[in-house]
């Protein structure tokens, strides 16, 4: 048997892909051609293992978890696949012998940006961990033609461009599977008809039909033969689409209708409150849920014949409420297509589903109008009313004659327009409801779902988020990975807690030096990217102060900005002031409809361009806002961060995962006691993190008493000065007067996220950061402590907890997947 992973064999595979697959002459092949051929060569190995894995799962009739998510932020797959399959160094050598470099090939790949932010990236990290830990798993989502928009800055303002990620070339990783095409119904009406036993049953008729075509992306585990996959659905016109129009000779009308079907999965919706009314998003949700459930039931019926066994074979995790309609759809299938009694159907459904909540913000809670349901999914609305009436019976039993409890718990929000509360649907229809950090879960129990918690005391549980160490250390930070492995071996890659062994080296000056040398090299690399992308020259030895995340007021990028202004002003007023040089690195996209977020971007860019050009401060401060934040950009910034900004208003960030990524790469955190920061603090110890700001109870107390930002504005001379300065037009000389007014107005008069209240505490804390950074050895020790102590935040740990405590899922090792004999 040939060893397909030997260098000569890999070279052969790559050449074959280039010549036979792409029909290209090696003499004239472009970098893109080489990237595609190399990816496809790796893919052949992955596919053999995929087939072996699926065969094993089928043969053993295993239980699987199905992760339902509207978003999978996979980023680039090239390096990750090579690492996970165990051929990274061989491919590196093969490519090198062919006169090319892996780094340049890597740059050819588009990010698979099928998500907005944390929730989508979490789904991607979980897929990596599930495969690595040999859990049978399939991710279900949408094959958007356009991912999250591409961001450019025009005069400091965000401009949005389409992200045509597949471009003309498609993705070398995807496998289109028309043989599993699935039909989905929409619109129509419900008729009462009598079945053969004289029972009145409901029939959904006169519907429009759309087809879902699966596109599979293989997900190889690290150091295992398991290859799971992501199944993404693209909409397609049904074969029968408007045949009549064709027959009437209305060819153009028929084609237009075809386009309507195919528009369904064209674009990912950005996370936006104003988007809620968009009917297309609602249809997207139902479309992918319906396809996925049919796929799951088809798979179940191949090996089983008793629905009672479904919960032993399938666990479905709902990534937020976005796929919540799945609960109703499975009920509808059981009731209407299999004539199952309600109680039995409900018992099965609630044992299959589990729900993860990712937000406490009221505007983050999804609601759809009863009118939308009635037009698009009329039968589902009936089922929802039925679920609700049974829920309200339970409420009546627990709290007799209590209207306020009924209103608080009902699936229907009464008002001018009746709305269906999707989170309530998820809570009643699932056996598990989890938050994503300890604090977040506690707040779910105490506030958002307090009544449900009283009704179902054991349902709500915590699963603190995690990140995959394969992408967020091994692949993104090769220098640090090599150093760590040289000291403690490579078992940390699959068992991140092993990083604790680094504590033995904390006092070792040579290790401190090597650790910080890796950091400096990463900063030098980022500095060249900043030069290239922003035209700003930065000094790699400065403190790299990094805030990278979606732009949102609650995340408080503007608090960071006020601190930058304060430092700048202090320097201007005292040119000899001794402060540590800093490079402030930002990267963030603002949702297109979110004007305040866009105004904050403009403000940061405007202040940055003045500061960066001011020779009076001799380069002590630089501000770089890197455009088009995405996974591949994060992979370059994370390893280069000295300071990780996690400064949300306490109680607003469910968890955060960027905090984990930067701490793992040896950055120190400056943060509030919010989300997973609380647990990071527990792990690294208070002496290794910079905490500031109001705590949750203090935020609540301040709001209760009536928060008045003007008071803080008037009481703090420096704060007032920087706010007035920002509003003066000084930083926006070429823009109309009042350009930044919305931001100023909001800060001084509303300040919903308590920026002014936390400013002084933040600024003082930044002075402690400054003092610490001067002590190189102290900083190095603290940085190493961070890397050594954050093993808990591996997505392997998180997924292990989900499997044990929610899914009751066992690992299934795939042995002897050496099917390479099929390859010539
Ligand atoms: C809703 C309706 C219509 C269109 C879009 C949406 C939508 C899309 C995405 C609403 C929310 C999201 C994304 C939310 C999100 O990313 N939440 C983050 O999840 C992370 C993983 O758990 C946490 O770490 C973050 O704290 C949380 O903000």
């Amino acid at each position: 048997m040939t060893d397909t992973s030997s260098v000569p064999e890999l070279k052969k595979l790559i050449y074959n892909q280039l010549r036979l697959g792409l029909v290209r002459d090696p003499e004239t092949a472009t970098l893109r051609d080489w990237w595609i051929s190399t990816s496809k060569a790796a893919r052949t190995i992955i596919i053999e293992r995929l087939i072996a894995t699926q065969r094993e799962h089928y043969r053993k009739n295993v239980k699987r978890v199905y992760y339902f998510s509207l978003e999978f932020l996979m980023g680039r797959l090239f390096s990750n696949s090579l690492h996970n399959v165990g051929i990274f160094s061989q491919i590196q050598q093969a490519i090198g012998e062919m006169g090319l470099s892996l780094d340049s090939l890597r740059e050819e790949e588009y990010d698979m940006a099928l998500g907005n932010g944390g929730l989508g990236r979490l789904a991607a990290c979980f897929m990596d961990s599930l495969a690595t830990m040999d859990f049978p798993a399939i991710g279900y989502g949408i094959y958007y033609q356009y991912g999250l928009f591409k961001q450019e800055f025009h005069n400091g303002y965000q401009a949005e461009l389409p992200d045509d990620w597949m471009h003309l070339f498609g993705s070398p990783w995807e496998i289109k599977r028309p043989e599993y095409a699935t039909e989905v119904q929409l619109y129509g009406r419900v008729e009462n008809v009598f079945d053969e036993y004289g029972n009145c049953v409901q029939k959904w008729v006169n519907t429009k039909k759309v087809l879902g075509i699966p596109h599979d992306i293989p997900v190889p585990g690290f150091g295992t033969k398991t290859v799971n996959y992501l199944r993404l659905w693209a909409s397609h016109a049904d074969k029968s689409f408007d045949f009549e129009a064709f027959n009437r000779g209305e060819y153009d009308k028929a084609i237009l209708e075809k386009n309507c079907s195919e528009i369904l999965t064209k674009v990912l919706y950005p996370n936006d409150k104003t988007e809620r009314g968009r009917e297309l998003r609602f249809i997207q949700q139902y479309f992918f849920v319906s396809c996925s459930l049919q796929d799951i039931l088809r798979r179940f019926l191949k090996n089983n014949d008793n629905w009672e066994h479904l919960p032993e074979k399938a666990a479905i995790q709902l990534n937020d409420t976005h796929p919540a309609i799945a609960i109703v759809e499975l009920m509808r299938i059981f009731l209407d297509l299999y004539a199952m009694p309600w109680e039995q159907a409900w018992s099965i459904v609630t044992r299959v589903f589990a729900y993860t909540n990712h937000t406490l913000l009221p505007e983050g809670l999804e609601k759809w109008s009863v009118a939308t349901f009635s037009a698009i999914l009329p039968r589902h609305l009936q089922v929802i009313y039925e679920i609700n009436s049974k829920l309200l019976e339970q409420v009546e039993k627990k709290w007799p004659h209590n209207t306020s409890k009924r209103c608080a718990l009902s699936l229907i929000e009464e008002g001018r327009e009746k709305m269906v509360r999707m989170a309530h649907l998820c809570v009643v229809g699932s056996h598990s409801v989890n938050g994503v950090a300890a604090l977040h879960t506690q707040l779910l129990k105490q506030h958002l779902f307090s009544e449900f918690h009283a009704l179902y005391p054991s349902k709500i549980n915590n699963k603190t988020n995690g990140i995959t160490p394969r992408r967020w250390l091994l692949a993104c930070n090769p220098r640090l990975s090599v150093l760590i492995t040289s000291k403690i071996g490579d078992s940390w890659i699959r068992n991140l807690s092993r990083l604790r062994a680094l504590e033995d080296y904390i006092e070792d000056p040579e290790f401190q030096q090597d650790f910080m040398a890796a950091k400096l090299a990463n900063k030098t690399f980022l500095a060249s990217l900043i030069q290239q992308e922003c035209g700003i020259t930065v000094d790699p030895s400065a403190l790299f102060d990094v805030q990278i995340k979606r732009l949102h007021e609650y995340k408080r990028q503007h608090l960071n900005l006020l601190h930058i202004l304060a430092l700048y002003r202090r320097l201007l007023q005292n040119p000899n002031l001794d402060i540590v040089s800093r490079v402030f690195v930002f990267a963030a996209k603002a949702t297109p409809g979110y004007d305040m977020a866009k105004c904050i971007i403009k403000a940061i860019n405007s202040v940055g361009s003045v500061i960066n050009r001011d020779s009076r401060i001799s380069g002590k401060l630089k501000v770089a806002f890197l455009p088009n934040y995405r996974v591949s950009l994060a992979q370059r910034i994370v390893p280069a961060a000295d300071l990780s900004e996690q400064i949300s208003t306490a109680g607003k960030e469910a968890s955060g995962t960027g905090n984990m990524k930067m701490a793992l790469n040896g950055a120190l955190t400056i943060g509030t006691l919010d989300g997973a920061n609380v647990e990071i603090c527990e792990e690294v110890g208070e002496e290794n993190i910079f905490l500031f700001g109001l705590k949750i109870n203090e935020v609540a107390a301040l709001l209760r008493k009536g928060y008045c930002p003007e008071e803080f504005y008037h009481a703090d001379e420096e704060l007032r000065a920087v706010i007035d300065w920002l509003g003066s037009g000084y930083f926006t000389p070429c823009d109309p007067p009042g350009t930044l007014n919305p931001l100023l107005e909001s800060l001084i008069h509303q300040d919903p996220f308590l920026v002014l209240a936390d400013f002084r505490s933040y600024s003082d804390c930044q002075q402690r950061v400054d003092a610490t950074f001067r002590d190189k050895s102290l900083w190095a020790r603290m940085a190493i402590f961070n890397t050594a102590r954050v093993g808990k935040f591996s997505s392997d740990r998180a997924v292990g907890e989900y499997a044990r405590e929610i899914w009751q899922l066992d690992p299934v090792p795939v042995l002897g997947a050496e099917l390479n004999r099929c390859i010539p």
Side-chain angles (χ1 to χ4, degrees):
M1 191 169 72
T2 45
D3 175 10
T4 41
S5 52
S6 73
V7 173
E9 286 301 318
L10 287 171
K11 276 163 91 172
K12 232 192 271 174
L13 268 178
I14 297 171
Y15 271 116
N16 273 345
Q17 288 294 341
L18 186 76
R19 297 168 65 95
L20 308 178
L22 297 186
V23 198
R24 295 290 291 177
D25 180 347
E27 289 285 308
T28 53
T30 62
L31 270 182
R32 176 182 287 123
D33 297 328
W34 286 111
W35 162 63
I36 294 178
S37 325
T38 311
S39 301
K40 290 212 165 166
R43 202 183 86 156
T44 58
I45 298 173
I46 294 173
I47 285 179
E48 293 301 342
R49 295 185 188 184
L50 173 76
I51 293 171
T53 304
Q54 302 314 314
R55 180 191 290 164
E56 189 76 351
H57 291 174
Y58 174 72
R59 202 175 59 78
K60 292 197 169 140
N61 192 14
V62 300
K63 180 168 187 174
R64 296 177 177 86
V65 63
Y66 298 107
Y67 202 81
F68 276 28
S69 179
L70 264 282
E71 307 195 1
F72 287 92
L73 210 43
M74 302 295 280
R76 290 176 175 163
L77 300 178
F78 185 63
S79 301
N80 191 247
S81 304
L82 301 184
H83 275 300
N84 282 15
V85 175
I87 56 171
F88 187 87
S89 57
Q90 294 93 311
I91 288 275
Q92 195 164 35
Q93 193 185 332
I95 290 290
E97 288 175 13
M98 292 152 91
L100 298 155
S101 89
L102 207 56
D103 284 342
S104 59
L105 290 202
R106 214 185 342 230
E107 289 308 306
E108 289 298 312
E109 184 170 5
Y110 281 81
D111 274 45
M112 212 173 148
L114 309 186
N116 277 287
L119 163 154
R121 184 53 231 174
L122 186 77
C125 283
F126 280 7
M127 290 306 294
D128 184 81
S129 287
L130 284 164
T132 298
M133 298 172 78
D134 292 327
F135 287 118
I138 298 175
Y140 277 111
I142 293 181
Y143 188 76
Y144 301 106
Q145 190 179 337
Y146 293 93
L148 189 63
F149 64 87
K150 248 174 76 182
Q151 179 197 52
E152 287 180 3
F153 294 137
H154 297 166
N155 182 32
Y157 286 102
Q158 167 173 294
E160 297 111 27
L161 293 95
D163 167 52
D164 188 5
W165 67 283
M166 290 172 271
H167 210 56
L168 297 170
F169 300 90
S171 156
W173 306 108
E174 75 193 27
I175 306 154
K176 190 172 171 179
R177 292 209 178 272
E179 67 273 25
Y180 293 127
T182 303
E183 190 183 274
V184 177
Q185 294 177 278
L186 295 160
Y187 302 100
R189 59 192 155 76
V190 183
E191 273 183 1
N192 292 330
V193 295
F194 285 87
D195 68 7
E196 67 251 53
Y197 306 103
N199 296 317
C200 181
V201 295
Q202 278 68 43
K203 211 168 161 201
W204 188 14
V205 296
N206 217 8
T207 52
K208 286 205 185 283
K209 297 184 180 61
V210 191
L211 279 186
I213 310 289
H215 291 67
D216 294 352
I217 313 282
V219 180
F222 180 91
T224 163
K225 294 282 155 57
T226 295
V227 178
N228 290 328
Y229 60 92
L230 195 60
R231 176 156 284 182
L232 304 175
W233 300 95
S235 64
H236 208 274
D238 182 66
K239 296 189 281 301
S240 64
F241 82 93
D242 211 1
F243 234 133
E244 281 169 36
F246 261 125
N247 291 341
R248 288 194 306 270
E250 296 174 24
Y251 176 74
D252 50 347
K253 177 171 181 278
I255 295 290
L256 283 178
E257 285 224 1
K258 180 172 151 66
N259 280 345
C260 284
S261 304
E262 284 164 18
I263 226 161
L264 238 162
T265 52
K266 275 254 176 298
V267 56
L268 163 77
Y269 278 96
N271 167 5
D272 180 9
K273 35 202 169 202
T274 63
E275 297 288 344
R276 191 178 294 143
R278 292 275 172 94
E279 201 170 278
L280 205 52
R281 161 95 181 173
F282 181 77
I283 299 178
Q284 282 184 340
Q285 295 180 345
Y286 177 64
F287 164 76
F288 111 86
V289 155
S290 166
C291 291
S292 310
L293 282 176
Q294 291 182 62
D295 207 44
I296 291 168
L297 299 186
R298 175 188 57 73
R299 195 175 293 112
F300 175 76
L301 289 174
K302 278 202 295 189
N303 261 337
N304 308 274
D305 54 10
N306 182 350
W307 289 119
E308 279 299 327
H309 296 156
L310 185 67
E312 291 149 38
K313 300 295 168 191
I316 301 180
Q317 190 68 36
L318 302 173
N319 200 18
D320 215 294
T321 54
H322 313 153
I325 192 64
I327 292 167
V328 190
E329 172 69 353
L330 189 55
M331 280 303 285
R332 184 191 71 86
I333 293 172
F334 283 158
L335 297 172
D336 295 359
L337 308 186
Y338 293 96
M340 197 184 282
W342 179 280
E343 296 306 330
Q344 187 193 1
W346 186 246
S347 156
I348 296 173
V349 166
T350 49
R351 279 178 284 149
V352 165
F353 285 103
Y355 153 59
T356 305
N357 172 286
H358 297 267
T359 186
L360 293 157
L361 297 182
E363 68 265 31
L365 296 174
E366 221 182 350
K367 289 171 205 155
W368 292 103
S369 74
V370 165
T372 301
F373 263 100
S374 166
I376 300 169
L377 301 175
R379 176 64 185 130
H380 295 74
L381 184 59
Q382 293 181 336
V383 176
I384 288 173
Y385 278 135
E386 188 62 28
I387 296 173
N388 198 36
S389 95
K390 307 224 179 234
L391 165 68
L392 295 179
E393 277 171 26
Q394 284 178 281
V395 175
E396 186 59 33
K397 236 187 244 162
K398 178 141 180 108
W399 296 287
H401 316 302
N402 189 332
T403 315
S404 84
K405 292 284 181 212
R406 283 171 65 89
C407 288
L409 285 143
S410 175
L411 299 192
I412 310 294
E413 186 180 273
E414 304 290 337
R416 211 167 41 84
E417 195 176 19
K418 276 195 185 184
M419 306 292 275
V420 180
R421 296 161 162 162
M422 303 309 272
H424 290 207
L425 174 61
C426 286
V427 175
V428 278
S430 305
H431 64 277
S432 159
V433 173
N434 76 279
V436 289
L439 177 68
H440 170 228
T441 302
Q442 194 190 318
L443 294 172
L444 284 182
K445 290 182 184 173
Q446 285 169 358
H447 302 290
L448 193 58
F449 298 143
S450 60
E451 283 94 356
F452 281 115
H453 184 48
L455 199 56
Y456 315 118
S458 58
K459 218 181 245 200
I460 303 181
N461 63 92
N462 180 56
K463 296 287 167 284
T464 298
N465 282 165
I467 56 169
T468 168
R470 272 72 64 184
R471 184 173 293 260
W472 297 110
L473 185 51
L474 179 68
C476 77
N477 198 345
R479 292 180 186 90
L480 186 56
S481 298
V482 167
L483 176 64
I484 292 171
T485 300
S486 74
K487 292 291 180 198
I488 65 167
D490 65 2
S491 63
W492 60 270
I493 304 171
R494 286 173 59 104
N495 186 348
L496 202 60
S497 317
R498 298 265 163 86
L499 289 178
R500 281 228 169 205
L502 289 174
E503 284 182 34
D504 293 347
Y505 301 92
I506 279 185
E507 298 301 331
D508 174 352
E510 197 184 310
F511 183 70
Q512 290 175 11
Q513 233 169 41
D514 292 346
F515 192 95
M516 294 318 286
K519 180 64 79 182
L520 183 64
N522 295 334
K523 288 163 72 177
T524 307
F525 183 64
L526 180 60
S528 67
L529 188 72
I530 290 173
Q531 179 68 254
Q532 189 186 312
E533 292 283 314
C534 314
I536 303 167
T537 308
V538 303
D539 174 4
S541 70
L543 189 164
F544 278 30
D545 183 335
V546 176
Q547 190 170 20
I548 48 174
K549 48 184 80 241
R550 284 303 292 265
L551 214 135
H552 202 292
E553 287 164 280
Y554 84 78
K555 296 178 186 281
R556 299 199 297 192
Q557 280 93 350
H558 45 343
L559 175 58
N560 188 341
L561 180 63
L562 293 182
H563 171 244
I564 296 173
L565 282 167
L567 284 184
Y568 181 41
R569 182 166 172 271
R570 287 175 210 166
L571 270 176
L572 292 182
Q573 303 202 335
N574 177 5
N576 297 323
L577 184 72
D578 181 19
I579 63 162
V580 157
S581 295
R582 291 200 200 211
V583 179
F584 294 93
V585 178
F586 290 90
K589 286 178 180 173
T591 287
Y594 188 174
D595 293 335
M596 187 62 71
K598 291 179 149 190
C599 187
I600 295 172
I601 290 182
K602 170 67 178 169
I604 296 171
N605 278 327
S606 304
V607 169
S609 74
V610 170
I611 291 182
N612 295 337
R613 274 183 278 136
D614 190 339
S615 56
R616 294 174 296 173
I617 59 168
S618 13
K620 279 190 185 157
L621 302 177
K622 289 284 168 80
V623 181
F625 202 140
L626 285 153
N628 202 26
Y629 186 47
R630 59 199 186 282
V631 174
S632 61
L633 182 57
Q635 287 182 233
R636 291 177 163 198
I637 302 174
V638 163
D642 288 311
L643 188 64
S644 158
E645 298 272 353
Q646 308 301 337
I647 60 178
S648 52
T649 317
K652 301 295 177 192
E653 189 71 272
S655 161
T657 45
N659 45 4
M660 303 168 186
K661 290 163 198 167
M662 286 192 270
L664 179 61
N665 284 272
L668 306 193
T669 301
I670 180 165
T672 47
L673 276 174
D674 198 17
N677 298 351
V678 176
E679 288 158 85
I680 292 178
C681 177
E682 279 168 17
E683 296 297 304
V684 303
E686 265 190 60
E687 63 286 8
N688 292 308
I689 189 168
F690 298 100
L691 293 178
F692 73 95
L694 297 170
K695 310 204 179 25
I696 290 207
N697 52 337
E698 296 165 339
V699 167
L702 182 56
L703 291 176
R704 253 199 320 275
K705 122 173 188 295
Y707 172 53
C708 182
E710 286 98 335
E711 279 172 20
F712 289 87
Y713 169 81
H714 290 298
D716 187 322
E717 187 274 330
E718 183 176 52
L719 176 60
R720 191 170 66 247
V722 296
I723 290 181
D724 290 346
W725 200 17
L726 188 60
S728 68
Y730 180 84
F731 296 99
T732 49
C734 304
D735 295 286
T739 291
L740 303 178
N741 272 359
L743 175 57
L744 275 315
E745 291 293 314
S746 165
L747 275 180
I748 302 172
H749 301 301
Q750 284 112 36
D751 194 18
F753 297 101
L754 311 187
V755 172
L756 303 204
D758 270 345
F759 173 77
R760 187 47 52 194
S761 164
Y762 178 58
S763 171
D764 290 348
C765 188
Q766 285 284 19
Q767 278 192 326
R768 286 188 274 134
V769 172
D770 181 295
T772 310
F773 194 72
R774 289 162 195 271
D775 183 342
K776 292 297 164 211
S777 169
L778 174 61
W779 189 278
R781 275 177 284 154
M782 290 171 74
I784 298 166
F785 243 113
N786 270 265
T787 299
R789 289 282 185 96
V790 293
K792 169 177 170 185
F793 303 103
S794 167
S795 45
D796 299 348
R797 186 267 316 147
V799 155
E801 289 177 3
Y802 277 88
R804 224 181 14 261
E805 296 165 23
I806 301 179
W807 305 328
Q808 266 85 52
L809 188 68
D810 295 321
V812 178
V814 178
L815 305 168
E818 307 303 341
L819 299 182
N820 302 336
R821 49 189 159 275
C822 318
I823 301 169

